[in-house]
Amino acid sequence: MVPKKQEAMNSSKEAIIAAIKKNKPDLLPLPEHPEFPYGDNLIEQFQASIKLNGGAARTGEGKMAIQSYLKENFTPDNQVLSLVEGITGNFDIKNVQDPHELEHIEVAVLEGDWGVVENAAIWLPEEKIVHRALPFIAQHLIVLLKIDRLLGNMHEVYQKINVAGPGYGVFVAGPSKTADIEQSLIIGAHGPRSMVVFLME
Amino acid sequence: MKVGLFIPCYVELFYPQVAIASLELLESAGVDVDYPLKQTCCGQPMANSGYQNYGEGSAALFRKNFSEFDYVVCPSGSCTLHAKDHIYSGEENEPKIYELCEFLTDVLKIKELKADFPFKVGIHASCHGLRGLHLAKPSELMGADFNKPKQLLEMVKGIELIELTRKDECCGFGGTFAVLEEAVSVGMGKDRIKDHEEHGVQVITGADMSCLMHLEGIIRRDKSSVKVMHIAEILNARVPKTQNQ
Amino acid sequence: MKATPTHAAAAEEFLKDEERSHWHDDTLWHVRSKRDVAAQKIPEWEQLRTNASQVKDHVLSNMDKLLLQFEKNATENGIEVLWAKDAEEHNQHILRILEEYQVKNLVKSKSILTEECGLNHFLEDKGYDVVDTDLGERIIQFNKQVPSHIVMPAIHLKKKEIGDIFHKHLGTDEGADDPAYLTEAARQHLRQKFIQARVAITGVNFGIAETGGFVVCTNEGNADMGTHLADVHIACMGIEKLVPRAADLGVFLRLLARSATGQSITNYTSHFHRPREGKKLYLILVDNGRTDQLGREDFRNSLKCIRCGACMNTCPIYRRSSGFSYNSTVPGPIGSILSPGMDLKKHSTLPFASTLCGSCTDVCPVKINIHEQLYKWRQVITKEGPSQPSKKWAMRFGGNVMSKPKLFDLMGNLARKSLSISPRGFVYNSFNAWGKHRELPEVPKESFKEWYRKNRKQ
């Protein structure tokens, strides 16, 4: 016996599908995915894009630069969580059962999968962040991105990634922001207040 | 080629100098142009108010008046667009209808004018001509720049064309909109005039007398010093004066 | 039940405060300008628009199959898909879920669909605490208003007014209006809400039929802060918000933010395919009049809308009269072609709130022929909407005169003669709407036909 809720809803689904079949226009073709080639000064483009988004991208440095950055900008009281091999923080994600435990993370160091230079969007699939809340709940974000993972535009990145692979993935293009108060752009809305990208070989 | 001149109803009644200038422009370009006296209106006021069927009488009369011509030329972007969309169906035996500026640039391919007009002129880019007839590239579309009214005005000696802050914002006339949404209509008109005035424009011109009639109405009520003239008058080298001097 | 004010009446009211109207107009024009700058950087901009338009044209023509494909794939991903034929059913689904989880407070990120369904009022009446977490939406929630713009909900408020609102509701300093200070206060306040919430509601920007996942775009990170900490994520989606393939997002994501605010992309573009381990993810597919609109040949293209708001930013009427003049969940040009389909009587004045300038059509990333649909709605409304006998009579009379050359010439003569002899007070009376702030044209000494007969006709 189908529960009443399910029955009612099945009839809604049926009604909607039937209405669509009755009302839709004749089939129109689906166009091909377009391709638009991109220029080759990828690093400069990425830096320009992320700057426009309120973030920053550094280049020509190694992982030690990130470690120094952490030392210069954060104190031992701050919770520093690094998911990047070779960068040490002081917070162990292995023990985290519940993302609420990440509430006081001051800075998270992550590695991006791909970076798109037209808009500084960095793809972070779930496996690269472990807990989905991490890139949002941290007060500051540092992202390491290999230079050979830079792509020109969104068409290119969707050819590379399988969005349905991870249960969750996000393009992050800078620190969180809002312009909801009289169009004044404020960096640091609900997500991180800053984002620095280290582009490395 | 035989050209029939179509004059918008309110121009025939209140701005005959625009019709005269349009006629003279075509005649001086050597065009065999005639003006069927039995014409009235294109029917747009009724159609845009939601009563397209009440505009059908005008449409039928229009077709009848111009059936023997190769071209119909009209000094109004909005009437021309309305005729293209609702009077004609694009068939072989129909005359080709053109707004005046595009007829000069695209069919007659005018390269020079004898006009002399040493004044600071601002172009009001009337919307139907701009976006409907593609008289120029609208600011919101991406692509190669072009501007047929401007192209013609640049042939006028002594003219100084002034850049505006908002180069193609609507003036707020919109037909019956002008009276049914009077507050917004006047607000939009005042802002357009201010843009021209702030940039030192002495004469506002455009290809549609309806927009200019609305702007002139505000200008005269507010006793501003800026003048309006239809582009045909400038291309035909008239000096700015108050209406009907 | 009070009749909905006409757009003209509401606009006139808004315009009484000239300074505010100018400020509102300048603010929105600025956003339009930022859009232009962003689009100019993309040489293939117009090609992207064409591609997006064609993808959405296909979606409309294949919606049943795509929805079923979407549902099948989403279900396989572990998402529970629910169907709602109307707003009431959508709201009831959510209520049931809240009852099941025994939750009384929830967070919600921006979803115009939930506005359309009146979700907040529905839940608040039943004692639920719904916290809108988008900063603009939280502001208007405190202020007991609806959004005036679909992307920038509080664009009608000045920072001083927001300062007063926050002083009242968040205890910020009296008179403080620095946006950074106010945003920080909202950050602290809403962070607590995120931490505590067990249910998070989001909208859906794009549902991907091919993969059974969906995309949510934000700048603030509020959708993610809510969903990644909650036990239950409810995503609300209009049935038309599909794209067939993941790679189609390449086109849409390049167009969306640039059209909306001039940004190259929203800060966060979150792709949801499976619920978090041990947590629940619902997706509610909502019709609420969309299948009806799909059946309207002249108006179905309005369903291509991706809710960017570019048409509002460019519309000279919207900018000067604000979203409130439309009394419609989605205001502006797109609202004026969507809403009459849902309630013709209530929204009958909206298609007339336009000069048909066509700028909206040009900025629409999916090439909806908005201004043409506005014209077509006018034809429908004069036949099926509330009757306006005097307007109809005037148009019929006008049409009659215009179809008879001799009558036209006679009436024209009469008009010119009477105007030229009538005293000013007679002409510029309270019935003369044109004459309120404008002079009528001066009467020439002869009409063009009179001149032509004298000077040209042999």
Side-chain angles (χ1 to χ4, degrees), chain C residues 138-158:
Chain C
R138 189 59 170 155
I139 292 167
I140 57 167
Q141 189 173 41
F142 282 148
N143 211 30
K144 295 197 187 340
Q145 287 182 307
V146 292
S148 68
H149 188 289
I150 60 174
V151 172
M152 301 168 290
I155 192 109
H156 59 284
L157 291 169
K158 296 193 178 185

Side-chain angles (χ1 to χ4, degrees), chain B:
Chain B
M1 61 172 153
K2 274 191 70 191
V3 171
L5 183 64
F6 177 73
I7 297 298
C9 49
Y10 56 95
V11 171
E12 197 276 316
L13 295 173
F14 294 106
Y15 298 98
Q17 75 277 21
V18 173
I20 296 166
S22 304
L23 179 69
E24 288 181 351
L25 257 176
L26 291 168
E27 286 171 341
S28 64
V31 175
D32 172 12
V33 51
D34 192 22
Y35 171 75
L37 280 158
K38 292 206 175 111
Q39 61 183 266
T40 57
C41 168
C42 66
Q44 192 183 190
M46 282 69 73
N48 280 4
S49 300
Y51 297 93
Q52 190 176 304
N53 48 325
Y54 293 149
E56 291 301 327
S58 314
L61 180 62
F62 192 109
R63 281 189 293 268
K64 186 170 164 207
N65 278 320
F66 290 96
S67 59
E68 299 304 309
F69 292 94
D70 302 309
Y71 292 92
V72 179
V73 177
C74 171
S76 159
S78 69
C79 300
T80 306
L81 181 64
H82 180 82
K84 273 178 131 165
D85 286 346
H86 301 291
I87 296 180
Y88 290 117
S89 28
E91 280 163 33
E92 277 289 311
N93 57 332
E94 288 170 348
K96 297 185 195 40
I97 182 158
Y98 279 84
E99 177 277 335
L100 179 65
C101 294
E102 58 173 357
F103 187 75
L104 295 172
T105 56
D106 297 357
V107 180
L108 297 183
K109 298 193 179 17
I110 299 276
K111 293 284 184 284
E112 58 175 16
L113 290 165
K114 291 191 179 62
D116 199 324
F117 198 77
F119 296 97
K120 294 186 162 76
V121 172
I123 302 176
H124 173 68
S126 300
C127 301
H128 296 147
L130 172 68
R131 295 187 184 88
L133 299 176
H134 314 293
L135 293 185
K137 184 192 84 66
S139 58
E140 69 270 350
L141 275 186
M142 302 300 135
D145 235 341
F146 69 95
N147 190 323
K148 295 175 190 180
K150 189 175 182 194
Q151 193 184 322
L152 291 166
L153 287 166
E154 281 168 347
M155 299 175 197
V156 175
K157 290 174 211 34
I159 201 169
E160 190 184 336
L161 294 174
I162 304 292
E163 288 286 311
L164 305 168
T165 301
R166 297 190 192 178
K167 65 190 275 212
D168 51 25
E169 190 180 21
C170 178
C171 69
F173 174 70
T176 49
F177 179 91
V179 291
L180 297 174
E181 288 254 9
E182 187 267 347
V184 183
S185 175
V186 168
M188 287 167 70
K190 288 191 174 193
D191 287 347
R192 283 294 77 233
I193 294 162
K194 188 154 174 261
D195 196 351
H196 288 264
E197 285 182 327
E198 279 177 352
H199 290 88
V201 164
Q202 294 169 297
V203 181
I204 301 175
T205 192
D208 255 285
M209 205 58 215
S210 50
C211 309
L212 298 175
M213 172 171 72
H214 160 71
L215 294 178
E216 190 185 56
I218 297 170
I219 285 166
R220 283 174 48 226
R221 174 64 60 89
D222 292 349
K223 297 191 172 45
S224 305
S225 56
V226 66
K227 304 264 179 285
V228 311
M229 288 175 76
H230 189 275
I231 194 173
E233 301 179 80
I234 296 181
L235 299 179
N236 207 35
R238 307 257 171 190
V239 295
K241 54 193 177 200
T242 49
Q243 201 183 352
N244 305 315
Q245 245 169 30

Side-chain angles (χ1 to χ4, degrees), chain B residues 39-40 50 52 140 178 181, chain C residues 7 362 375 382 402 438 449:
Chain B
Q39 61 183 266
T40 57
Q52 190 176 304
E140 69 270 350
E181 288 254 9
Chain C
H7 178 276
D362 280 351
Y375 174 87
T382 55
M402 300 307 192
R438 288 169 287 214
K449 281 183 185 172

Side-chain angles (χ1 to χ4, degrees), chain A residues 6 19 24 30 35 37 46-47 56 63 65 88 137 162 172 179 188 199:
Chain A
Q6 192 62 40
K24 66 181 178 178
L30 191 55
E35 267 178 35
F46 187 89
Q47 287 177 308
K63 285 185 181 173
T88 36
I137 204 166
N162 173 19
V172 179
L199 297 167

